């Protein structure tokens, strides 16, 4: 039954009956849409479209299920640490490749460098452990920098991170496909195509929602972690328990090309710091964890940093002990050579298994970007620095717009760079260190502000201060050493993005201010004046005129005529209609505008202008009769005058445009709807 | 001063004052738009845009100047015969290339073959001379075939001709650029680009109107005709007056590859018939001539056929006399070799002049297509076989849509075939002979019908009958010999086009019938029911509600809410507004629909559906509050919900959608327009 209140205050309409499948009645004036509203209402094609969409993405998830969609610690470790942990596969090699320029006798310097990086990891890890409880709603660099240092540093951190996330997807997919093509050389012509298909695949899995993608991507990450630990344990037993080898072995001779300068050591250190990309993913992704979010995130971060340091240390030790030098061609990789040394005899079957695990985690380290890019974009959208669409959760509670945007940008990069890892890698890692630096500077400010309330503030500030200085130095070194090779692109993009954010922000602020100020609380009566452009005196025209006259008697029908015969014809049929069927008070003006230049729109617009100038106080409504045809392609067969008129009128202030659609052909004609 | 009649019949509004620059007052209720309505009303950018357009295309020409825009016989000869006359540059060579397969001793067979073709030209020419007075409004194959043989043969003729016109543009432009690239080999990498630029150039010239393009293209055609006649006269004097050479000389020895079969002779004849493409252009283009159109067209056709036969005969005679055999590589061309023989001694300067003239007419023979394709398309559009846009004359009285459509199709062909003449030529000339055959069959029927009234009917019918048989034979031979090389594409395209024409025709017929039947002469009162979807209670929402209430008190504001806080917030601000500012009879319902799946559109559409089912007799109007922002890119910053809602509602019968635009920012806010 229907309740239709008539008193102010409790006057809200309840339009649905109890048995309406589309809505549930909540309270007076409040309905809730049911899943029935999500059913397609079109023809068979629409049903097929929805079917495909549901097969790919899944059925919609209601907002109330948000908590169930969160990540367990086990899945979060897989999703949010794949980027960081995958970097142990190449970090040691990156250090050695730099040092070998000074000849093989100095390769042992890699060991102290690695220890410094591990110390740095510990500092950054401890720092982020401090950030998580301080910012339980997500403490990425953007949040920490903007709330402690101000808007501009926050935006710089955000821009740097967004760029790095896109690069991470492109680089990891390209690296994965590169390894795949090495196995199946027949695919080498289709590298970019396979890249794109892989990006689309990862995108679709992510659009299914964070829980499902977590389940899917947990396997490769944990598989790599397990196999890598097996390698390290077996290797350590072989080297020190069975073999009694020295910690640092004798490397094969390599010619010295330059002296071991301090700069070379710094560069080796800076390159090795690529092991630290992805470290901030967990502190940024706190809201994705199951409750209690902050505690779970902190534990997961500790796990991740522990695993990262242990793997990095273990692989460096094995490299040193087995004196494995990097191959100048880059293939096989250092980690493959180490695995070859370790997995001998009865364990030889583990060698290909480990290689496949490495391939898997390298490819799927893109997942960290898929988790964090949309979340960071949603924070920026929430703060009005990106279009508001980025803040809306899609049907599966994922930030669909951000996911699709990331995928499109990554595909663009892959196409522009032809899927070439070597070119892409030069743009990589700068953004991460800039955002590290800003985030840690922000934490320094944070502790300084809390100096009255927290007794450990000086200790914490010191940790973050050391971290800030070190990461700033790394950012500087990475930017300088890779500047010509491509770092300049990133350093140019960051300010451009920041200005874009700021421009969007200004627009929204301006817009909000303009639409909420100067609201007339009590609007006066509207004086209507209606124009009905007609091409023929057909059913649509007559219905539109009837509609217009039901609003006000001030109706003018306007016909733009291309020649005299046309003018005469419409005038005659108009007169016949008016005289024979209508009473005197139902009579309507017809204005014929002859257009000697055969333009249809411009004379009509000039007439509307004239009318507006003559009657500045009136509200002009243009009623457009439109025939709705059965198929989209049939629109090409009719002059798009109505559509073009609407587009032109949209930019003129104070004119209301109403469409009176007249359906033809295979749909039932709802005459009653207009002539009840 | 303004006259506002109040009586029916003479009740028409005169809205403009005498000093309004946009309109001229014609009679009561009839205005005429002045050129002032064609002025751009946008910003500087719009003015620049119009400036460029006018510089390229020219100022609009009023419809009344139609007669002045017609072609004189001199210009018509240039525009309409460039295709036909340009073919003498390659027709003789085409015959010899076929015959040389039988060895050089049989090359002399080319002479009788040429005589047969000239006789055929005479037959076709006389036939078309008969067609012009019979069909003074344009007697192309489409008209003649459809009015004598019925719709289907007419459509086949039209499809065949349209295909050939497009091919002619592609082939002639490609051939011209091919010759140009031979001169400047550095351009060879940019063939397709130059092709496209040339097509765009010819298109722009044609968009300036038929008279201006006639002036422009007259020069190359007449230049070629003059230089070709000079060559023939000089050559004949040299050969027969000075040199006393035999009519058919001794050709250089060429090895026999196959015997001189009847089929080979037929093939040589068929290929030589390419000289006849473009012959029907004049009879199709009668309406483009100055008055008296039919007489001028007939005279021009006689000239053209005379020139064509004289040049073809002359060039064949010179080829025979100077025993010039075609070069197997195709370069230099046969006509260049003939010119080399003729222009010796003091006349040697004429050799490059003649080559340039040939290059010019080959390139610009595209112009015939530009003249006839849009005209044929306009005839098809008039008969409702093509979209009606093709029948509208543009600002310069040219059929702009047809011209642009031809250009786009030709560019598509050039891109697909990479600007390769050899590939394109295989598709060429089939269409012309199919349409010749159908046209002449139509003329046979025409004479048969007139057999009581015309005493020459049997003679005329015989001419057309011979023509029909011969051209049918040629069409058959061309189709068979070139089938595998590409003729199949044309033979496949023709039925597809015919079905397209028929489909369009059915749609229009159905549409016209549906929109004019069942017109309710005297519409009843409309019962309004209005829905105002709102996102916030901002200025646009309040104005839209005021607008809705001015139509009917049956207004419901609907808000789709994504969460409880949002629901509470809008309900509170709504209650405040209603209680504090509005009287009881001004009160409006607010319905809140909670959307657990975060969809904004579907719950709203489901609500509208529900309302429509509950109140089938009412007219539902959805009032959409919309903010109009200052720059187009700013639309990306706002949810496109209103736009998507409009798109979805457009396909539902019986729902009127009205936009109440609210302008923001840098435009003055016309508050008065809504709150007078």
């Amino acid at each position: 039954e229907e309740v239709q209140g008539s008193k102010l205050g409790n006057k809200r309409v309840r339009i649905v009956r109890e048995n309406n499948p589309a809505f549930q009645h909540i309270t007076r004036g409040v309905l809730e849409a049911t899943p029935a509203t999500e059913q397609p209402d079109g023809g068979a094609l629409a049903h097929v479209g929805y079917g495909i969409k549901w097969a790919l993405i899944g059925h919609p998830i209601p907002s109330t299920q948000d908590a169930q969609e969160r990540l367990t610690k086990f899945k979060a470790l897989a999703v949010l640490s794949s980027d960081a942990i995958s970097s142990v596969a190449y970090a040691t090699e990156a250090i050695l490749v730099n040092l070998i320029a000074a000849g093989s006798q100095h390769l042992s310097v890699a060991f102290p460098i690695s220890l410094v990086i591990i110390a740095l990891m510990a500092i950054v890890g401890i720092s982020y452990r401090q950030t998580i409880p301080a910012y339980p709603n997500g403490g990425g660099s953007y949040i920490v920098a903007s709330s402690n240092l101000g808007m501009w540093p926050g935006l710089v951190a955000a821009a740097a991170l967004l760029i790095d996330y896109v690069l991470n997807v492109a680089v990891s997919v390209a690296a994965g496909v590169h390894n795949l093509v090495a196995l199946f050389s027949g695919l080498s012509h289709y590298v970019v195509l396979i890249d794109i298909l892989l990006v689309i695949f990862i995108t679709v899995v992510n659009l299914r929602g964070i829980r499902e993608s977590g389940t899917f991507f947990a396997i490769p990450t944990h598989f790599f972690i397990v196999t890598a630990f097996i390698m390290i344990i077996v290797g350590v037993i072989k080297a020190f328990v069975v073999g009694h080898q020295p910690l640092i072995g004798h490397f094969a001779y390599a010619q010295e090309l330059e002296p071991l300068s301090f700069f070379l050591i710094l560069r080796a250190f800076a390159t090795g710091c690529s092991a630290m990309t992805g470290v901030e993913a967990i502190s940024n992704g706190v809201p994705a964890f199951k409750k209690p979010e902050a505690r779970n995130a902190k534990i997961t971060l500790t796990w991740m940093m522990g695993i990262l340091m242990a793997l990095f240390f273990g692989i460096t030790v094995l490299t040193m002990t087995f004196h494995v030098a990097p191959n100048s061609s880059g293939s096989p990789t250092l980690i493959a050579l180490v695995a070859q040394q370790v997995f001998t005899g009865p364990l030889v079957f583990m060698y290909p298994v480990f290689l496949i695990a490495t391939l898997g985690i390298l490819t799927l380290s893109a997942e960290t970007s898929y988790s964090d890019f949309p979340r960071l974009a949603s924070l920026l959208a929430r703060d009005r620095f990106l279009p508001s669409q980025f803040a809306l959760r899609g049907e599966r509670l994922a930030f669909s717009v951000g996911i699709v945007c990331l995928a499109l940008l990554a595909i663009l990069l892959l196409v522009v760079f032809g899927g070439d890892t070597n070119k892409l890698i030069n743009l990589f890692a700068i953004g991460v260190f800039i955002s590290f630096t800003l985030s840690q500077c922000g934490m320094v400010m944070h502790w300084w502000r809390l100096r009255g309330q927290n007794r450990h503030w000086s200790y914490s500030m010191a940790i973050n201060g050391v971290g800030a200085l070190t990461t700033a130095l790394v950012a500087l070194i990475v930017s300088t050493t890779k500047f010509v090779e491509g770092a300049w692109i990133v350093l140019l993009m960051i300010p451009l993005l920041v200005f874009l954010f700021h421009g969007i922000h200004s627009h929204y602020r301006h817009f909000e201010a303009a639409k909420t100020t100067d609201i007339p609380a009590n609007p006066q009566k509207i004086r209507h004046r209606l124009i009905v452009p007609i091409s023929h005196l057909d059913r649509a025209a007559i219905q539109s005129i009837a509609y217009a006259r039901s609003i006000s008697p001030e109706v003018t029908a306007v016909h733009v005529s291309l020649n005299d015969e046309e003018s005469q014809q419409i005038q005659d049929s108009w007169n016949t209609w008016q005289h024979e069927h209508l009473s005197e008070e139902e009579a309507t003006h017809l204005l014929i505008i002859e257009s000697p230049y055969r333009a249809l729109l411009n004379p009509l617009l000039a007439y509307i202008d004239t009318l507006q100038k003559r009657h500045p106080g009136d509200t002009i409504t243009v009623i457009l009769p439109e025939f709705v045809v059965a198929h989209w392609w049939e629109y090409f067969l009719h002059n798009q005058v109505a559509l073009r008129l609407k587009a032109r009128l949209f930019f003129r202030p104070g004119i209301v445009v109403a469409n009176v659609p007249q359906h033809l052909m295979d749909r039932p004609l709802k005459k009653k709807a207009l002539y009840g």
Side-chain angles (χ1 to χ4, degrees), chain A:
Chain A
E1 77 185 272
E2 186 183 13
V3 179
Q4 185 125 11
S6 66
K7 286 281 168 210
L8 196 67
N10 58 1
K11 181 173 181 178
R12 298 200 196 91
V13 68
R14 222 177 106 194
I15 202 70
V16 287
R17 292 212 167 88
E18 295 303 328
N19 59 356
N20 187 319
F23 297 105
Q24 260 183 301
H25 181 246
I26 303 296
T27 67
R28 209 161 236 201
V30 182
L31 303 176
E32 188 184 291
T34 65
T37 60
E38 293 292 317
Q39 300 294 327
D41 59 347
L45 208 66
H47 277 274
V48 170
Y50 274 79
I52 291 170
K53 188 180 165 192
W54 282 340
L56 285 175
I57 314 289
H59 286 266
I61 302 175
S63 305
T64 45
Q65 276 190 27
D66 184 29
Q68 284 99 299
E69 282 299 307
R70 304 293 186 79
L71 292 172
T72 60
K73 293 192 283 294
F74 183 78
K75 283 184 188 171
L77 185 67
V79 169
L80 298 174
S81 71
S82 62
D83 181 10
I85 290 176
S86 72
S87 47
V88 303
Y90 50 80
T92 310
E93 179 165 9
I95 299 171
L96 289 172
V97 161
N98 278 285
L99 289 177
I100 207 157
S104 49
Q105 74 273 26
H106 293 303
L107 282 181
S108 54
V109 179
F111 194 68
I113 290 177
S114 296
L115 292 181
V116 172
I117 292 174
I118 289 168
L120 188 63
M121 282 176 181
I123 293 170
V124 173
I126 292 166
S127 157
Y128 274 113
R129 267 179 64 92
Q130 291 171 342
T131 307
I132 291 168
Y135 294 93
N137 295 318
S141 303
Y142 166 63
I143 298 284
V144 175
S146 60
S147 54
N148 289 300
L149 305 173
M151 183 187 74
W152 294 107
L155 292 181
V156 170
L161 270 180
L162 289 183
I163 292 171
D164 240 51
Y165 288 147
V166 176
L167 281 167
N168 180 42
V169 173
V171 167
S172 65
V173 166
V177 173
H178 189 73
N179 281 308
L180 187 77
V181 167
L183 292 175
F184 307 98
S185 58
L187 300 172
S188 59
H189 293 299
Y190 310 105
V191 166
V192 176
L193 184 68
I194 300 170
D195 286 346
I196 291 171
L197 290 177
L198 194 57
V199 171
I200 291 172
F201 173 73
I202 299 174
T203 305
V204 168
V205 172
N206 275 282
L207 285 174
R208 293 186 70 91
I210 193 164
R211 192 171 54 131
E212 287 207 24
S213 52
T215 309
F216 188 85
F217 291 113
I219 301 154
T221 308
H222 290 292
F223 183 52
F224 175 76
I225 293 173
V226 169
T227 51
F229 271 118
I230 290 174
M231 179 180 79
I232 290 168
I233 291 163
V234 171
V236 166
I237 291 170
K238 260 196 174 168
F240 302 112
V241 181
V242 182
H244 302 292
Q245 295 197 15
L247 180 62
I248 299 177
H250 290 282
F251 288 92
Y253 175 73
Q255 206 187 333
E256 181 178 338
L257 299 170
E258 52 178 301
L260 183 73
S261 61
F262 181 63
F263 182 75
L264 189 69
I265 293 173
L266 268 189
R267 199 169 64 189
F269 164 75
T271 326
C273 283
S274 64
M276 286 175 64
T277 60
V279 163
E280 84 133 42
I282 287 178
S283 64
N284 201 8
V286 178
F289 281 83
K290 280 196 185 292
K291 289 180 187 184
E293 294 93 344
R295 190 173 162 273
N296 286 334
K298 212 170 152 183
I299 293 169
T300 310
L301 178 69
T302 313
W303 284 1
M304 177 179 88
M305 294 314 292
I307 293 168
L308 178 60
M309 290 190 285
L311 289 181
F312 184 55
F313 182 71
I315 288 168
T316 306
V317 164
L318 290 184
T319 309
M320 296 287 122
T321 312
F322 291 115
H323 36 79
V324 179
N327 200 312
S328 62
S329 73
S331 174
T333 57
L334 187 87
I335 197 165
L337 293 171
V338 172
Q340 217 168 15
Q341 295 280 331
V342 172
F343 295 127
T344 53
L347 282 173
V348 74
F349 74 93
M350 278 297 290
Y351 175 63
V353 170
F354 179 73
L355 287 193
I356 288 167
T358 311
L359 182 72
I361 199 168
L362 275 175
T363 310
L364 298 180
S365 69
E367 183 54 23
T368 303
S369 292
Y370 271 91
S371 171
D372 273 8
F373 180 100
R375 194 174 297 114
L376 177 54
S378 81
L379 291 175
L380 286 167
R382 187 201 63 190
D383 295 348
R384 297 303 212 176
F385 289 109
L386 274 181
S388 50
Q389 289 92 326
F390 283 94
L392 294 178
R393 285 175 187 271
E395 291 180 345
R396 300 283 290 181
L397 285 167
F399 294 109
S400 316
V401 175
I403 290 172
V404 171
C405 179
L406 173 66
L408 292 177
L409 290 172
I411 287 173
L412 183 72
L413 264 185
L414 285 166
V415 170
V416 168
F417 286 89
D420 188 334
T421 323
N422 293 326
K423 286 181 190 157
L424 286 166
I425 206 96
N426 288 319
L427 283 70
F428 198 38
I430 303 161
V432 161
F433 283 99
I434 291 174
S435 80
F436 272 159
T437 310
L438 288 166
S439 163
Q440 306 221 34
C441 289
M443 286 309 288
V444 170
M445 276 303 293
H446 177 78
W447 299 124
W448 180 248
R449 281 195 190 131
L450 290 182
R451 65 190 180 280
Q453 303 146 42
N454 191 311
R455 58 194 184 90
H456 298 301
W457 72 271
S458 58
Y459 166 76
S460 303
M461 204 172 93
I463 289 178
N464 287 134
V466 171
L469 283 175
T470 327
T471 50
L473 192 67
V474 175
L476 195 71
I477 294 167
V478 175
S479 308
T480 350
T481 52
K482 294 183 179 174
F483 188 81
V484 182
E485 286 83 5
W488 66 270
I489 301 175
V490 176
L491 294 173
L492 187 73
M493 285 298 294
I494 290 174
L496 289 179
L497 265 181
V498 168
F499 286 127
L500 176 70
F501 294 155
H502 187 249
I504 291 171
H505 193 64
S506 307
H507 168 81
Y508 274 123
R509 232 175 31 204
H510 202 148
F511 180 79
E512 295 292 336
K515 78 175 188 179
T516 51
T517 56
D518 197 24
I519 296 182
N522 197 1
Q524 300 299 303
K525 269 270 168 283
I526 289 173
R527 272 212 314 277
H528 283 286
R529 195 166 277 276
L530 295 111
I531 298 172
V532 187
I534 59 171
S535 57
H536 302 93
L537 192 63
D538 49 29
R539 201 170 57 204
I542 288 176
Q543 285 187 330
S544 298
I545 291 163
Y547 183 87
R549 291 195 61 85
S550 76
I551 296 175
S552 157
E554 283 289 350
V555 177
T556 309
V558 182
H559 173 78
V560 178
S561 166
L562 297 187
N563 54 55
D564 291 348
E565 302 95 81
E566 199 186 321
S567 303
Q568 199 54 52
Q569 206 182 344
I570 190 136
Q571 200 143 45
D572 290 347
S573 58
W574 185 268
N575 288 344
T576 310
W577 177 57
Q578 296 267 309
H579 282 289
E580 289 181 8
H581 297 287
L582 302 184
S583 68
E584 207 156 302
E585 65 268 22
E586 286 172 336
T588 307
H589 309 301
L590 169 67
L591 175 72
I592 293 172
I593 302 178
E594 295 192 340
S595 175
Y597 298 94
R598 298 164 303 285
L600 294 170
L601 277 190
N602 287 336
L604 205 53
L605 289 167
Y607 173 71
I608 293 168
D609 274 351
T610 307
L611 207 63
Q612 218 176 2
K613 274 183 207 126
R614 297 282 313 270
H615 306 283
D618 294 9
T619 298
I620 295 174
T621 303
V622 179
I623 308 278
L624 291 178
E626 259 183 271
F627 281 101
V628 179
V629 289
H631 308 102
W632 60 267
W633 53 265
E634 291 175 345
Y635 284 97
F636 294 105
L637 301 181
H638 301 276
N639 290 325
Q640 300 294 311
V641 176
L643 199 66
R644 280 160 57 210
L645 184 62
K646 259 186 284 183
R648 294 278 290 271
L649 285 175
F650 189 69
F651 292 97
R652 300 192 177 209
I655 293 172
V656 177
V657 180
N659 282 72
V660 178
Q662 179 62 43
H663 288 254
L664 285 182
M665 313 206 196
D666 67 0
R667 285 162 191 266
L669 296 168
K670 294 251 172 150
K671 241 174 59 181
K672 272 200 163 171
L674 277 164
Y675 302 100

